[in-house]
Amino acid sequence: MTAHKQVATVTVDVVLFTIRQGRLSVLLVARDDEPFQGCWALPGGPPVEAADLDQSAHDHLERGAGAAVSPGHLEQLRTYGAPDRDPSTRQISVAYLGFMPDLPAPVAVGDRPSARFWPIDDFLTGDDAPDLVLDHRRIIGDGLERARAKLEYTTLATTFLEEPFTISDLRRVYQTVWGVRLEPANFRRKVVERTDGFVEPTGESRPTGRAPALLYRSGPATELTPPLVRPEADEDD
Amino acid sequence: MTAHKQVATVTVDVVLFTIRQGRLSVLLVARDDEPFQGCWALPGGPPVEAADLDQSAHDHLERGAGAAVSPGHLEQLRTYGAPDRDPSTRQISVAYLGFMPDLPAPVAVGDRPSARFWPIDDFLTGDDAPDLVLDHRRIIGDGLERARAKLEYTTLATTFLEEPFTISDLRRVYQTVWGVRLEPANFRRKVVERTDGFVEPTGESRPTGRAPALLYRSGPATELTPPLVRPEADEDD
DNA sequence: GGAATAGTGTCTATGAGACATTATTCC
DNA sequence: GGAATAATGTCTCATAGACACTATTCC
């Protein structure tokens, strides 16, 4: 194991998803340094000294984008290390995936104009898509895949919502992330009756403009067994 | 994003599982360098120059353990980067997970006495467990978890087998990795009838000592929908 | 009243799990 | 014949999916 120790630059980058105005969106920061002038990038940076990678991801999220950003969920996504990722030096990026509830107002991240949430479908359709640094576009794509898969067999959809929420709120999370329409009746039964600990009733209800909806908070369960099956995409909302 | 570029040592390490004599086993190499004298470690090393991480993992597998090692499957597991992993320098390890069919004879890896397959249950019971370098024991644990989960919703169990194989062979893979006993009749139906493309009949059959068993090879399917559900463990074979 | 949403009821098809049955081989 | 394994058959129960129905609110 001829270890001729090789130096590589390591960064930690975060794909943070939220749902704004019914659209799945990812947090991006503007890069004003050469050679990435005018490009957008995932929030990130080198591992924080004396902190593990999870903590580093969290720190870069808050520091790069504004103090108010605290994800409801953060997990390691994948590490990217193709030798030609960066034109100058070998750069290895440990990517994280995070979910966060929508912010009540478009403020919060807004006081730092160089950071914003960008709707995901802009990437997929190609319209109005920002230039992204390195392979960050691919990382976002991988993050989207992982996010979609995770909603199938975990209770993480609730981390997109603030409590308390209605079952319809939760269903809309699934519909937005998966890009499908789900049958309200069957979805409710699956979530409320068939999966213990996914959500807990608060006893309250919220007027919605139509019939009042019962309110819930997330329960102790973390896994969905059996999973919530994802239908074929029909690209709806 | 005050990038005071930090140097970290990056390694690529591989958790390679196979099934030997009915026991799930992991490939380890003996370390004879200070300060790890007498310890065992996962095969690995620094990223290979001009090769991506996947390729580096594959190379280290073959180089560290013997030429004959070619995994039936290799995927990225997770990246470990706690600041106190290595007493001397900050070390970040990109871990891979691989599956491989059992070798026909205990030879192959054997001509390099410093590498061997170690039964997984030795770690879990604590008996006869080797001293492992750094946090490699935890990495193996995470790999085991991932492997068990992957068998639920992918067709990767076939990568533990050489073709052609019988349905009982395949069932024994599940039983060994999951540590449970599965109902032969229901397992067969699930694999052969309910999951298109998991296995394909060769038309041949193999005498087994009892009734002859039909032979199969793996089919084009990669995912199991719906998944093969894993029963509660009862730690059998 | 009409439209939209929340929540409940009901029916069907599918599949997992349990277990019986038949066939084949070795002792 | 007896034991063990391969393969098929049969039954039950849970649940996903489709859709009807009632209740509530705003227009």
Side-chain angles (χ1 to χ4, degrees):
Chain A
M1 228 130 8
T2 72
H4 81 297
K5 301 232 175 187
Q6 183 177 344
V7 171
T9 306
V10 178
T11 66
V12 178
D13 297 305
V14 183
V15 179
L16 182 76
F17 285 132
T18 196
I19 297 177
R20 309 207 96 174
Q21 292 141 11
R23 305 173 76 188
L24 185 67
S25 305
V26 63
L27 182 64
L28 297 181
V29 299
R31 290 278 283 260
D32 49 4
D33 53 325
E34 288 300 337
F36 300 121
Q37 187 87 40
C39 283
W40 293 78
L42 297 170
V48 176
E49 218 159 331
D52 62 21
L53 297 176
D54 293 25
Q55 186 61 48
S56 300
H58 190 270
D59 283 9
H60 280 297
L61 199 51
E62 300 218 315
R63 223 171 307 177
V69 176
S70 61
H73 173 70
L74 194 59
E75 68 176 43
Q76 200 176 296
L77 174 61
R78 195 194 149 82
T79 296
Y80 298 83
D84 56 351
R85 285 185 78 232
D86 189 303
S88 47
T89 61
R90 173 124 201 194
Q91 187 171 332
I92 289 173
S93 166
V94 184
Y96 275 75
L97 173 66
F99 305 147
M100 195 181 92
D102 192 10
L103 301 168
V107 187
V109 178
D111 62 316
R112 185 184 168 115
S114 57
R116 58 162 289 197
F117 281 104
W118 211 294
I120 274 292
D121 36 9
D122 284 355
F123 292 87
L124 306 181
T125 63
D127 294 348
D128 195 25
D131 280 329
L132 285 180
V133 148
L134 304 178
D135 53 0
H136 284 198
R137 188 190 172 110
R138 185 198 158 193
I139 298 176
I140 293 171
D142 289 351
L144 178 59
E145 263 315 298
R146 172 81 67 88
R148 285 176 167 164
K150 277 266 168 175
L151 293 208
E152 293 188 57
Y153 61 94
T154 71
T155 61
L156 287 174
T158 58
T159 61
F160 280 105
L161 296 173
E162 278 184 292
E163 301 182 345
F165 50 81
T166 70
I167 299 300
S168 291
D169 291 338
L170 186 58
R171 178 170 48 84
R172 272 185 279 271
V173 170
Y174 275 91
Q175 293 185 158
T176 302
V177 175
W178 282 353
V180 299
R181 223 170 51 78
L182 298 174
E183 180 62 35
N186 296 332
F187 180 82
R188 154 175 297 278
R189 243 188 307 268
K190 173 70 178 177
V191 168
V192 176
E193 296 172 22
R194 294 220 234 276
T195 312
D196 282 349
F198 193 169
V199 297
E200 292 175 339
T202 63
E204 313 267 295
S205 62
R206 170 194 296 164
T208 64
R210 306 301 180 196
L214 295 174
L215 288 172
Y216 297 83
R217 60 179 152 260
S218 51
T222 60
E223 296 193 349
L224 258 47
T225 48
L228 225 159
V229 292
R230 163 162 51 149
E232 317 297 322
D234 39 81
E235 296 308 326
D236 275 14
D237 252 20
Chain B
M1 229 128 15
T2 73
H4 80 299
K5 300 232 176 189
Q6 182 176 344
V7 171
T9 306
V10 177
T11 66
V12 177
D13 297 305
V14 182
V15 179
L16 182 76
F17 286 132
T18 196
I19 296 177
R20 310 207 96 174
Q21 294 141 12
R23 305 174 76 189
L24 185 66
S25 305
V26 62
L27 182 63
L28 297 181
V29 299
R31 289 278 283 260
D32 50 5
D33 54 326
E34 289 300 339
F36 300 122
Q37 187 88 37
C39 284
W40 293 79
L42 297 170
V48 176
E49 218 159 331
D52 62 23
L53 297 176
D54 292 27
Q55 186 61 48
S56 300
H58 189 270
D59 283 9
H60 281 296
L61 200 50
E62 300 218 314
R63 224 171 306 176
V69 177
S70 62
H73 172 70
L74 194 60
E75 69 176 42
Q76 199 177 296
L77 174 61
R78 195 194 152 80
T79 296
Y80 298 83
D84 55 351
R85 286 186 75 231
D86 190 304
S88 47
T89 61
R90 173 127 201 189
Q91 187 172 330
I92 289 173
S93 164
V94 183
Y96 275 75
L97 173 67
F99 305 147
M100 196 181 91
D102 192 10
L103 300 168
V107 187
V109 178
D111 62 315
R112 185 187 168 112
S114 58
R116 58 161 289 198
F117 280 104
W118 211 296
I120 274 293
D121 36 9
D122 283 356
F123 292 87
L124 305 181
T125 62
D127 295 349
D128 196 24
D131 279 329
L132 285 180
V133 146
L134 305 179
D135 54 359
H136 284 199
R137 187 188 172 113
R138 185 197 158 192
I139 298 177
I140 293 171
D142 290 351
L144 177 60
E145 263 315 297
R146 171 81 67 89
R148 285 175 166 165
K150 277 264 168 178
L151 293 207
E152 293 188 57
Y153 61 94
T154 71
T155 61
L156 288 174
T158 58
T159 61
F160 281 104
L161 297 172
E162 279 185 292
E163 300 184 346
F165 51 81
T166 69
I167 300 298
S168 291
D169 291 338
L170 186 58
R171 178 169 49 83
R172 273 185 278 271
V173 170
Y174 276 91
Q175 293 185 159
T176 302
V177 176
W178 282 353
V180 298
R181 224 171 47 78
L182 298 173
E183 179 62 36
N186 297 332
F187 180 82
R188 154 174 299 278
R189 242 188 309 269
K190 173 70 180 178
V191 168
V192 177
E193 295 171 22
R194 294 220 235 278
T195 312
D196 282 348
F198 193 169
V199 296
E200 291 175 339
T202 64
E204 314 267 295
S205 62
R206 170 195 297 166
T208 64
R210 306 301 179 193
L214 296 174
L215 288 171
Y216 297 82
R217 59 177 153 262
S218 51
T222 59
E223 297 192 351
L224 258 46
T225 49
L228 225 160
V229 291
R230 162 164 49 148
E232 318 296 323
D234 38 78
E235 296 307 327
D236 276 12
D237 251 19

